[in-house]
Amino acid sequence: MKIVLAAGFIMMTFGTKVTSTQRDKPEWMDMKQLSVEMKAGRKPVIIDLYTTWCYWCKVMDKKTYANSKVADYINEHFYPVKLDAETKESVNWNEKDFNYNVGYKVNDFALFLTSGQLAFPSTVIIPDKLSQPVAIAGFLEPKEIEPILKYFGEGAYRAKSYEAYKLTFKSTW
């Protein structure tokens, strides 16, 4: 009887953690899904530009993107895309195809997103289809990504510079 109760407790605990982890992440999509979603609505795009070998990319997944406040905010205010910078698949953006660049060993879309300044991870924000990407290189803690997300997610970028926005920003996370 004790074994059955112990097994049940372990399964409940494990099941809760799995459910929590699945819920507390942005609902990542690929570029094909993004093009469909962008036809239906207007939100900024956030791209998690990563590589499979990048240690800090994995830490950002576990620490920042798994934070429920970060994930909830991204899901509500952005089209979230997860993109491997080294993908060999063709990537289409604004009716232009980007392909794998053998010389740089990354997809040309990664070079476009970062203006050639590759760093992993990079958080890339594209406010709308006509805007240039804004790439923020490196690992970001939840408290560091909050003002960036809210600056773009609330549309403050249309009226003021990021520096001016930060002067009056109050963190709630």
Side-chain angles (χ1 to χ4, degrees), residues 13-118:
T13 303
F14 179 74
T16 301
K17 287 184 181 177
V18 170
T19 303
S20 175
T21 302
Q22 289 171 346
R23 187 185 70 238
D24 292 342
K25 289 218 176 191
E27 295 169 9
W28 299 116
M29 60 182 80
D30 61 28
M31 292 300 291
K32 290 174 186 156
Q33 292 169 303
L34 174 64
S35 65
V36 171
E37 290 293 325
M38 287 187 78
K39 290 176 185 171
R42 294 185 343 175
K43 293 191 230 180
V45 176
I46 183 169
I47 299 175
D48 175 27
L49 189 64
Y50 73 96
T51 63
T52 57
W53 51 263
C54 169
Y55 170 79
W56 287 106
C57 298
K58 293 173 177 114
V59 174
M60 193 152 168
D61 265 346
K62 289 179 183 170
K63 189 168 186 173
T64 305
Y65 291 127
N67 178 292
S68 63
K69 291 181 181 179
V70 172
D72 290 346
Y73 193 87
I74 288 173
N75 287 333
E76 183 176 340
H77 294 91
F78 291 87
Y79 295 121
V81 175
K82 194 163 205 43
L83 182 67
D84 182 351
E86 298 175 324
T87 185
K88 293 186 175 157
E89 292 180 23
S90 181
V91 174
N92 185 283
W93 172 254
N94 275 348
E95 299 182 31
K96 181 177 183 206
D97 289 325
F98 295 85
N99 297 302
Y100 185 75
N101 185 315
V102 177
Y104 285 97
K105 297 183 179 167
V106 296
N107 192 291
D108 280 331
F109 191 57
L111 292 168
F112 167 74
L113 292 173
T114 62
S115 299
Q117 304 297 309
L118 294 170

Side-chain angles (χ1 to χ4, degrees), residues 124-142:
V124 182
I125 310 284
I126 307 175
D128 57 60
K129 273 193 151 190
L130 301 176
S131 297
Q132 289 297 311
V134 177
I136 302 99
F139 169 78
L140 297 168
E141 297 268 355

